Amino acid sequence: MNDLHTVPGSRWLLPGLIALLTLGGLPAEAQRKAKAREAQAPGTVIRGVEESVFTEGMKFMIMDEPAKAVPQFEKVIQLHPENAAAYFALAQALNRQGKTEAALPHALKAQQLDGGNNKYYVLQLAELYVKQKRYADAERLYEDLIRKSPDNIEYGVELAAIYLFDEKPDKALEVYDKVEKATGLNEEIIRQKQRIYLKQNKVEKAIEEAEKLVASEPGETDYLLEGAELLIANERLPQAMSWLDRALKINSELPQAHVMRADLYRRQGNLEKCSQELNLVFSNPNLEADVKARILASYLGMIGNNEKARQDATRLAQELAKAHPKDAKSQVIYADLLIQQGNKAGARDHYARAARLDKSVYEVWGALLQLDGELNQVDSVLAHSEQALEVFPNQGLFWYSNGSAKLAKRDYQGSVESLEEARRLSSNNAELVKYINAQLGDAYNGLGDNARSDEAYELVLKEDPTNDHVLNNYSYFLSLRKEKLPKALQMAERLVNRHQNNATYLDTYAWVLYVMKDYTKARTFLDKALKDEQNVSGTILEHYGDVLYQLGENDKAVEQWKKAKQKGETSDRLDKKIATGKMYE
């Protein structure tokens, strides 16, 4: 079979049929009946001691303590081995505990003792067969049950479900038809038949079922919209437009009908009519902003990468956000579109508005903090992460953002506290923990806690030996401490081998060489770093001057120190070096 054809928003089986029971793995109606079976177990009459023991067992069942009920029912069976009701109740108690295999022989015994007259015994046995995927046995029981009495036709829905489990869709269709003929139109059955027909590529049959729903309630526009959606999903676009027209004749202001028509016109390349349909929706004063936002979101899901349609959507989103400044969803939709256009600053502002209007949406805070970071707005990251944590105090990502912002502002103690909390909450997110540990290495270094700094860096390198951030900072900080210099050199060398033109990494490698007094080689790598003019910092220029000084080129050293002063980001000894023309370690 080809399963390209779909009913929008649906699967092969009804949701109530797919999951095998809490009560038998059957539809909602069947589950209600199964509940009723527990209250009805007609059969052998129970008297005297048996009755007392049986009642005690039922009391435990009512209290939802089936394990305690089991020995009571077993005792009844010992007293009266031919008691069908006791076997039935024992099977129920075991089934409630999920002991299907243990329950089955008792359910079978109940049905045999009763001679198949009690339908509740039959239904329980069938239920257990279904749980064990013994579909043919369950089908036989249901078929016999329905054959015995026309009143049992209602169980045809359950039988059809078992046929579907057993991959017998044609038999399921036959039973559905019989049930409909006996009981009348049933919306659940119609939808199930549609799914089967579509699975069989019988689109026309599925449409006929949709027509039956429409005919049953001609004024119900939802059925027409659902039918149009089915037609669109199966590329019957002219028919879909006809169904939408029928819906609009009943109610000309149906927003979803206009949105679907807009999509159909877009597919035809008629962007003018597409825009007209959308304008009809958004100019409707009776539609609330929330509804318009949902409609626009739905339309965005339809248009794909069509640039003209996306431009129209962006215009509508902008108008919506402007007309409804207090509607959070409108702000989010506009922000999402601005992101796609590369307008990060504009998107950030609208996410911020949305977060102020509705603080409960995790994804909005996440998008806002990400953009704050990409725009290098450290103060905003700090403020927004603190606001997010008021609502989501158990989210490690927000603690990470907060710790990172504090690190950037050199609040090392505050950074460590936030990052440690982030690490505690993120133990199941290995990727995030890696970033947290990298930042903890920096923060502990800022506090002068070298042991914890090194430990955090090592944790990252254990999982990610080529982590650029850690290789750079770890090696540089070791060089400043003049500790583990061979390790620092090895890490810095690994870094520049992977990034041969990166000014920052070349400077780190050169500085490790400088501390190891290999001034000539250090100069070689600083010369390479200076070629990356856009990324040459004051630190790099100061280091270059220091290397030149150690090589005896004092005048050139002072010249580089002066350039470094103009750039900024230098050591607090730079002015003294410039004034005296000498090095101060």
Side-chain angles (χ1 to χ4, degrees), residues 76-89:
V76 175
I77 292 170
Q78 287 174 355
L79 293 168
H80 189 172
E82 301 301 309
N83 191 318
Y87 282 104
F88 174 83

Side-chain angles (χ1 to χ4, degrees), residues 14 88 90 133 147 188 202 212 245 271 282 308 310 409 426 429 433 469 551 561 566:
L14 289 171
F88 174 83
L90 178 56
K133 298 185 178 180
R147 203 164 26 241
E188 181 179 336
K202 297 176 180 178
K212 283 163 65 174
D245 289 342
L271 297 180
F282 283 86
K308 178 64 172 64
R310 194 158 289 279
K409 295 181 75 67
S426 306
N429 187 338
V433 168
H469 176 92
L551 290 171
W561 290 336
Q566 292 175 344

Side-chain angles (χ1 to χ4, degrees), residues 68-336:
K68 292 181 180 179
V70 167
Q72 305 301 318
F73 298 138
E74 288 176 336
K75 196 177 297 182
V76 175
I77 292 170
Q78 287 174 355
L79 293 168
H80 189 172
E82 301 301 309
N83 191 318
Y87 282 104
F88 174 83
L90 178 56
Q92 276 187 339
L94 292 167
N95 189 23
R96 283 243 209 125
Q97 297 174 73
K99 298 178 180 179
T100 306
E101 193 170 343
L104 185 59
H106 300 296
L108 181 59
K109 184 72 172 177
Q111 192 249 359
Q112 289 170 342
L113 288 170
D114 177 72
N117 296 315
N118 189 319
K119 69 179 179 182
Y120 295 105
Y121 295 178
V122 174
L123 293 169
Q124 177 180 247
L125 181 58
E127 173 187 324
L128 293 170
Y129 281 145
V130 169
K131 282 191 171 183
Q132 291 199 328
K133 298 185 178 180
R134 292 174 58 176
Y135 300 128
D137 290 328
E139 289 161 13
R140 176 180 50 78
L141 289 172
Y142 271 104
E143 287 164 356
D144 289 345
L145 186 66
I146 293 169
R147 203 164 26 241
K148 281 183 178 179
S149 171
D151 293 339
N152 291 335
I153 190 63
E154 59 181 310
Y155 296 107
V157 174
E158 298 178 29
L159 175 58
I162 298 169
Y163 281 139
L164 290 177
F165 286 136
D166 204 15
E167 297 184 1
K168 297 175 180 176
D170 289 329
K171 277 187 163 291
L173 286 168
E174 287 177 22
V175 175
Y176 282 138
D177 286 340
K178 288 178 182 177
V179 174
E180 275 193 313
K181 186 176 180 180
T183 63
L185 190 74
N186 182 302
E187 185 173 335
E188 181 179 336
I189 289 176
I190 284 178
R191 296 193 188 287
Q192 187 68 337
K193 287 169 71 176
Q194 283 182 304
R195 294 180 180 98
I196 296 171
Y197 285 134
L198 290 172
K199 189 77 173 179
Q200 296 177 327
N201 290 334
K202 297 176 180 178
V203 179
E204 291 300 333
K205 286 281 190 182
I207 294 169
E208 286 176 16
E209 294 298 321
E211 284 281 17
K212 283 163 65 174
L213 278 178
V214 173
S216 70
E217 293 188 57
E220 179 53 73
T221 56
D222 283 349
Y223 291 151
L224 285 163
L225 293 179
E226 288 171 10
E229 195 174 351
L230 184 153
L231 289 161
I232 291 171
N234 292 285
E235 298 297 324
R236 305 294 183 93
L237 305 188
Q239 280 180 276
M241 186 67 85
S242 171
W243 281 52
L244 292 172
D245 289 342
R246 289 162 64 185
L248 288 169
K249 282 181 181 177
I250 298 169
N251 181 355
S252 62
E253 293 188 354
L254 282 174
Q256 191 58 30
H258 287 295
V259 171
M260 292 167 75
R261 279 167 62 91
D263 183 48
L264 290 173
Y265 283 130
R266 178 191 63 79
R267 293 183 187 215
Q268 295 171 7
N270 192 337
L271 297 180
E272 183 179 350
K273 284 197 172 183
C274 171
S275 184
Q276 287 174 4
E277 292 291 336
L278 289 176
N279 287 334
L280 280 171
V281 175
F282 283 86
S283 63
N284 186 340
N286 298 319
L287 274 185
E288 295 181 0
D290 181 65
V291 176
K292 290 179 180 178
R294 278 190 278 113
I295 288 170
L296 185 55
S298 171
Y299 180 65
L300 286 169
M302 296 176 181
I303 61 178
N305 295 320
N306 186 292
E307 186 57 34
K308 178 64 172 64
R310 194 158 289 279
Q311 288 174 5
D312 280 344
T314 302
R315 173 183 58 78
L316 290 169
Q318 183 180 25
E319 292 173 1
L320 186 63
K322 187 175 180 180
H324 302 279
K326 294 185 178 181
D327 180 66
K329 286 185 180 177
S330 301
Q331 306 304 318
V332 169
I333 289 175
Y334 187 38
D336 289 345

Side-chain angles (χ1 to χ4, degrees), residues 7-19:
V7 172
S10 59
R11 296 184 176 86
W12 170 253
L13 295 174
L14 289 171
L17 297 174
I18 295 174

Side-chain angles (χ1 to χ4, degrees), residues 407-456:
L407 177 62
K409 295 181 75 67
R410 302 193 178 185
D411 175 6
Y412 299 122
Q413 184 59 47
S415 177
V416 163
E417 290 170 2
S418 293
L419 291 169
E420 286 289 10
E421 182 67 5
R423 183 160 64 174
R424 184 184 72 80
L425 292 168
S426 306
S427 57
N428 61 345
N429 187 338
E431 191 66 17
L432 179 57
V433 168
K434 184 173 68 177
Y435 286 108
I436 293 168
N437 282 327
Q439 296 285 62
L440 274 170
D442 296 348
Y444 276 123
N445 177 79
L447 287 175
D449 191 338
N450 297 335
R452 282 198 173 95
S453 174
D454 292 358
E455 180 185 5

